[in-house]
Amino acid sequence: MIDRTNLLWYRDAVYYELHVKSFYDSNNDGIGDFNGLREKLDYLKGLGIDCVWLLPFYKSPMRDDGYDISDYYSIQPEYGTIQDFRKFLDEAHDMGIRVIADLVLNHVSDQHPWFQEAIKSRDSPYHDWFVWSDTDQKYKGVRIIFIDTEKSNWTWEPNTQQYYWHRFYSHQPDLNYDNPAVREEIKNVVRFWLRMGLDGFRCDAVPYLFEREGTSCENLPETHQYFKELRRMIDEEFPGCILLAEANQWPTEAKQYFGNGDEFHMAFNFPLMPRIFIALARENAFPIEDIIKQTLPIPENCDWMIFLRNHDELTLEMVTDEERDIMFSEYAKIPRMRLNLGIRRRLAPLVDNDRATLELLHAMLLTLPGNPILYYGDEINMGDNIYLGDRNGVRTPMQWSADRNAGFSKCDPEMLYSPVITNPNYHYETFNVEAQSRLQTSFLNWLKRIIRVRKRYSLVLGRGEIEFLHGGNERVLAYLRKYGEQRMLCLFNLSKKPTYLQLDLKEYRGYTPVETISQEPFPPIGELPYFFTLPGRAYFWFELQQTQGGAQ
């Protein structure tokens, strides 16, 4: 059962992102559903997951995989019913797993009844629920996010003889948050799902709610003010529920979404994610250390959500041109791998399925400041299909077994919402849960073990401060995590070659470094520099245990 008294649960959790349609199909129509997801809760519990993030499951024409919502108060029929959702939610809670859901606040589908009413006439009561202009020259200079498909943030509507504003696809008109009715209706949507038992929301595209001439129309004070109102409502009416911000911004702007601990509970650390890959490409720890220092400190009751990959392209909007060139040359050599200003690849293909690199990346993910989120399928090193449109190549069916359709569904293969991965290097017959569960040395079983280790140290790793250490070797990322009396030393060789490191640890003389996975003690720390050797792409987690007579 869930501990409702722990209001800071989100700072100690391991998260898992999935799409209902992609996880498991219980009725063999080729599309995953809530009953199928409920059947796989045991798997998630065994993996060590504390909270599941669901991609949009609301009614939608599915032109943007559910991010184009046509009814906030219903469920996409293929996924099941409200009753199916409630049953899934209840069983998840019974197993101690919380659930948060994607909430698209910035825009709706052009098929939403609000917009269909709005375009009937300029006199429609819903007309002012959207952002209109008689010219497409308003808000000039505001960046276009989907540069591969959209040429403008304005689209002409012949019925009203006006342009409507959209920051994303032209079939996703932006809501007008200057209208009090819109602001209140979104609060009602939040109340509807939280009353049902949902534990919070991942809020999509939060920087773009308001527009003002002469600005970038991002991160405006009005946007922050609205989220403070939303947070206040949740704290008062639904204590223990959380808001998670998707704000793909530079650190200074991203940190502002925490407010003074009175805005978002959590925010994705978009600045960190690409710099982890840049550090690997350069074999240099500086990009990681530098960006983390820029993202800290934050309010005590807030935390970052850290990730390696997710359902979108690996976004490179908030990096320099030089860093973007490094990422493209190292991780997206074929132009088809690129989309907008990003890379549409899953984690394993990004690093050529190199086991040592994958372990190193997850060892960092589980120990850097913030809370880790895994993307479904990455735990079994799933491949991708860059020849599917948009970002669909990283949203293929979960691979459960070597049976037909990767065990995802018993339907005819032609009925699947998406083909399964059959590339020989990542074929579902090899990369599936059943096969990896049987093999003790598999990546899946390694990940389960290391998540269990992380849970033993959830306070120091989830809430502790970080101190970077330097031993004259830029190829090694070294830091201490500290919380209360706990100390954990983490070392990562970013190079493919063996290397060494000498650290001045005399502050901890008399302490014994105990390797956390094997529980093997290393020699006690003394006055002299402590010497470590690391194989290529190797890592160590040490708990510094104070021995009798050690330093205070």
Side-chain angles (χ1 to χ4, degrees), residues 459-460 464-465 482-487:
L459 286 179
V460 66
E465 61 183 87
K482 299 188 282 188
Y483 185 80
E485 296 300 314
Q486 281 190 296
R487 299 291 183 270

Side-chain angles (χ1 to χ4, degrees), residues 352-367:
D352 290 332
N353 203 28
D354 181 73
R355 174 68 179 265
T357 301
L358 288 165
E359 289 189 9
L360 180 80
L361 286 168
H362 283 85
M364 278 195 278
L365 181 73
L366 294 169
T367 57

Side-chain angles (χ1 to χ4, degrees), residues 373-416:
I373 184 162
L374 308 173
Y375 184 50
Y376 86 95
D378 281 353
E379 72 271 26
I380 55 170
N381 306 147
M382 268 179 65
D384 52 37
N385 184 350
I386 61 173
Y387 297 99
L388 296 177
D390 196 16
R391 294 156 287 186
N392 296 327
V394 301
R395 304 177 184 181
T396 57
M398 179 65 175
Q399 296 165 190
W400 293 104
S401 71
D403 296 339
R404 69 174 177 181
N405 304 325
F408 166 77
S409 174
K410 293 184 175 67
C411 72
D412 291 336
E414 297 83 0
M415 293 174 62
L416 290 176

